[in-house]
Amino acid sequence: MASSLISRRFALSLQKNLWIGAPACRYISKAAPKTQVEFDYDGPSMKTSVPGPRSQELLKQLGDIQNVAAINFFCNYEESRGNYLVDVDNNRMLDIYTQISSIPIGYNHPALLKLMANSNNLSTLVNRPALGILPPENFPDKLTESLLSVAPSGMTRVQTMACGSCSNENAYKAMFIWYRNKERGHNTPSDEDISTCMINQTPGCPDLSILSFMGAFHGRTLGCLATTHSKAIHKLDVPSFDWPIAPFPRLQYPLEEFTRENAQEEARCLEEVEDLIVKWRQKGRPVAGIVIEPIQAEGGDNHASPDFFRSLRNIARKHGCAFHVDEVQTGGGTTGKFWAHEHWGMDDPADIVSFSKKLLTGGYYHKDELQADKPYRIFNTWMGDPTKNLLLVEVLNVIRRENLLEEVTRSGKALLNGLYELQAQYPAILSRARGQGTFCAIDVCDDATRTNILLKARDKGVLLGGCGDRSIRFRPSLVFKEYHVHIFLNIFNDVLAQLK
């Protein structure tokens, strides 16, 4: 099946000039020369409103099986390619949301189809091992080729996992284990530690905490939910822990006009972090670790300056807390650097860096001292998936070969400049355009208007996502060119003009 699919893809690429494209674009700013992506379509093409009749049929069918309230529409992944997602009603949309920021190099990239069609990879595809006990022969080499080739500064160890939530959950466990061993001065638990942990009592289950930030999103498992503070629906009715929550800076835009105010805001938040660490130590729940996103994504694309993060790193060192940088959504190149924390300019940015989404597999990098001291302490059945490491090797090859981080920087500049122009043109609707690379966002006047914009844009062939209370976030793949930026800006302008 994979062989026939790739052959079909290459045949279609040879017929590119025969594809039915979108009408000529009306650029709101100077257009970049059109740069074709080998496996891309020429533009959106809409046949129905979304969801169309076939999607509605499938929604009803699936609704008899599970909750479908979050489903937007059903997709035809075989016909999707490049920056375009095709649905089951044959609507073709420019995808600037990419499965919640998890598609690295577009749909059905020829390099990945070729990899899957290689018969030498069949065993990896068919047999999913329990990696913690029975890894395949090539697993060390594949980790070296993939994840370790892009390891954050100062880190040579990586623990694979299956998703972002389990990556963070196990990273939290690693921080707690490290902290307790540091308190003991050795890694041998007492008889009392062993007996009390079985009944959820101290000292075996110690009263330790992790400091997180208001607006953060770190996942939906139980420990991660205790550090997630973006939407009530994520946390409602689920028991949680008494862990400290610090304010995240709320910057004013444009940044250059509010330098003093933003510096004061960041200083206020840092002071509160230190106060909380001291307060929780006095409560008998010392802070074992601090977890933070380089950009709060789900919480509303909230940014802070490199100075803020450098100061926070120093506070963690001062108080003996592990420093965990959650790059689940920001990692993989979307900010113009492979890791968003690289923008901080630090040689020793973190003790733990977690990842998932655009890296296709989950996991976390860590310092040597955060290595689990005994087997089965950081463990589950799958511990990741070798097929995703196989794909990631080729994704990284494409990123390097096609200089995609430079492409992201160019496209991101065009996107952000376009958003600046639109918010100047529609000041009653849009504000606070911001971003790094193509990891951009803009605020809408209210939630109802945002929803209206997202739905109208989708019916015109552009797929976007929301975040925070009233922001629209942009999460294209790394093959999103300046040409695609201008297609989007024209359609977005048309939607805004209708609202005005």
Side-chain angles (χ1 to χ4, degrees):
M1 180 178 175
S3 298
S4 63
L5 183 58
I6 186 170
S7 300
R8 187 176 172 203
R9 293 286 180 241
F10 284 132
L12 285 168
S13 71
L14 294 175
Q15 302 171 24
K16 189 170 183 65
N17 291 332
L18 298 179
W19 293 347
I20 300 174
C25 291
R26 306 175 309 284
Y27 298 121
I28 66 165
S29 57
K30 184 178 179 182
K34 180 177 176 180
T35 305
Q36 294 285 5
V37 177
E38 179 188 355
F39 59 105
D40 218 9
Y41 287 108
D42 286 341
S45 175
M46 303 303 292
K47 309 296 185 184
T48 72
S49 60
V50 181
R54 179 58 180 152
S55 268
Q56 292 180 42
E57 289 176 12
L58 291 168
L59 274 169
K60 185 177 185 304
Q61 182 181 342
L62 186 60
D64 293 334
I65 303 169
Q66 58 184 231
N67 188 306
V68 296
I71 291 177
N72 289 219
F73 54 86
F74 285 76
C75 303
N76 181 341
Y77 288 108
E78 183 175 343
E79 293 303 322
S80 302
R81 56 177 173 264
N83 291 280
Y84 291 89
L85 178 61
V86 178
D87 74 0
V88 292
D89 290 283
N90 203 30
N91 295 302
R92 188 170 74 217
M93 289 161 272
L94 179 62
D95 189 356
I96 314 182
Y97 195 41
T98 61
Q99 312 291 323
I100 321 176
S101 194
S102 64
I103 302 292
I105 54 173
Y107 296 100
N108 288 312
H109 194 288
L112 300 186
L113 292 176
K114 184 177 180 181
L115 186 76
M116 292 295 99
N118 186 339
S119 60
N120 294 327
N121 295 324
L122 286 178
S123 176
T124 302
L125 296 172
V126 170
N127 302 294
R128 185 176 184 183
L131 287 170
I133 56 172
L134 296 169
E137 179 183 10
N138 66 354
F139 192 52
D141 286 341
K142 288 302 175 186
L143 286 180
T144 301
E145 289 179 55
S146 59
L147 291 168
L148 289 180
S149 74
V150 291
S153 175
M155 296 189 182
T156 59
R157 305 188 73 87
V158 66
Q159 177 61 65
T160 53
M161 288 288 162
C163 70
S165 290
C166 63
S167 301
N168 286 334
E169 192 83 10
N170 283 282
Y172 293 179
K173 288 166 60 180
M175 289 193 287
F176 288 137
I177 292 167
W178 163 80
Y179 194 88
R180 277 297 283 137
N181 284 337
K182 188 175 63 163
E183 284 186 326
R184 291 187 188 103
H186 54 79
N187 67 349
T188 304
S190 67
D191 290 343
E192 186 182 17
D193 289 333
I194 292 171
S195 62
T196 54
C197 79
M198 297 302 291
I199 55 172
N200 301 339
Q201 300 295 314
T202 61
C205 293
D207 283 329
L208 299 176
S209 62
I210 292 174
L211 184 146
S212 55
F213 290 81
M214 189 57 69
F217 181 88
H218 298 292
R220 291 179 169 87
T221 50
L222 201 61
C224 292
L225 271 182
T227 58
T228 288
H229 319 287
S230 53
K231 289 185 176 68
I233 194 64
H234 301 150
K235 298 170 67 71
L236 186 65
D237 297 332
V238 180
S240 197
F241 304 110
D242 180 20
W243 291 354
I245 307 164
F248 191 89
R250 178 68 173 177
L251 302 185
Q252 299 182 58
Y253 292 84
L255 295 175
E256 60 275 11
E257 294 182 15
F258 295 96
T259 305
R260 181 176 57 84
E261 291 87 348
N262 288 338
Q264 291 173 343
E265 168 69 356
E266 291 187 341
R268 179 188 70 84
C269 295
L270 290 167
E271 182 178 357
E272 181 70 12
V273 167
E274 289 219 67
D275 288 346
L276 287 168
I277 292 173
V278 172
K279 181 179 179 181
W280 252 254
R281 185 184 302 128
Q282 293 170 343
K283 288 175 62 172
R285 298 178 183 274
V287 174
I290 297 172
V291 63
I292 195 166
E293 302 156 272
I295 303 169
Q296 286 190 332
E298 180 72 24
D301 270 36
N302 304 315
H303 293 248
S305 72
D307 282 343
F308 173 82
F309 291 103
R310 288 192 286 262
S311 296
L312 188 64
R313 177 71 168 117
N314 289 334
I315 289 172
R317 285 195 191 97
K318 173 182 173 182
H319 291 277
C321 311
F323 191 57
H324 173 182
V325 177
D326 178 353
E327 291 254 23
V328 166
Q329 190 159 156
T330 53
T334 186
T335 67
K337 294 184 182 292
F338 199 85
W339 301 108
H341 70 252
E342 292 179 60
H343 291 281
W344 307 344
M346 299 176 66
D347 293 330
D348 184 25
D351 299 306
I352 287 182
V353 175
S354 54
F355 58 86
S356 189
K357 292 191 181 282
K358 278 188 166 61
L359 279 84
L360 303 180
T361 183
Y364 62 92
Y365 298 93
H366 59 88
K367 295 287 189 66
D368 290 351
E369 55 266 32
L370 278 104
Q371 173 72 35
D373 58 352
K374 295 176 180 62
Y376 301 107
R377 302 203 78 179
I378 303 295
F379 192 84
N380 57 51
T381 299
W382 302 128
M383 300 288 280
D385 184 345
T387 63
K388 303 309 179 186
N389 295 329
L390 188 68
L391 288 167
L392 180 57
V393 170
E394 192 55 40
V395 166
L396 294 174
N397 287 338
V398 171
I399 290 173
R400 293 170 182 132
R401 186 169 62 244
E402 299 182 11
N403 298 314
L404 290 185
L405 296 187
E406 295 177 14
E407 192 73 60
V408 166
T409 300
R410 284 192 295 271
S411 300
K413 183 178 180 181
L415 176 58
L416 195 54
N417 285 338
L419 294 175
Y420 287 148
E421 291 181 24
L422 286 172
Q423 76 177 13
Q425 188 175 350
Y426 302 100
I429 302 174
L430 302 178
S431 62
R432 300 182 74 242
R434 55 202 182 275
Q436 280 183 326
T438 55
F439 198 104
C440 294
I442 197 164
D443 282 3
V444 182
C445 54
D446 55 63
D447 180 40
T449 304
R450 175 181 63 177
T451 299
N452 194 12
I453 289 173
L454 294 176
L455 295 177
K456 286 183 180 297
R458 190 173 71 184
D459 280 344
K460 287 180 176 291
V462 171
L463 191 58
L464 300 167
C467 63
D469 295 330
R470 55 190 181 92
S471 298
I472 293 175
R473 56 177 153 173
F474 305 94
R475 299 291 187 270
S477 74
L478 305 182
V479 296
F480 187 69
K481 312 285 188 179
E482 288 183 77
Y483 172 67
H484 301 105
V485 172
H486 292 291
I487 291 176
F488 156 68
L489 290 173
N490 282 321
I491 293 173
F492 201 47
N493 183 52
D494 289 346
V495 170
L496 295 168
Q498 288 180 359
L499 294 177
K500 185 179 181 182

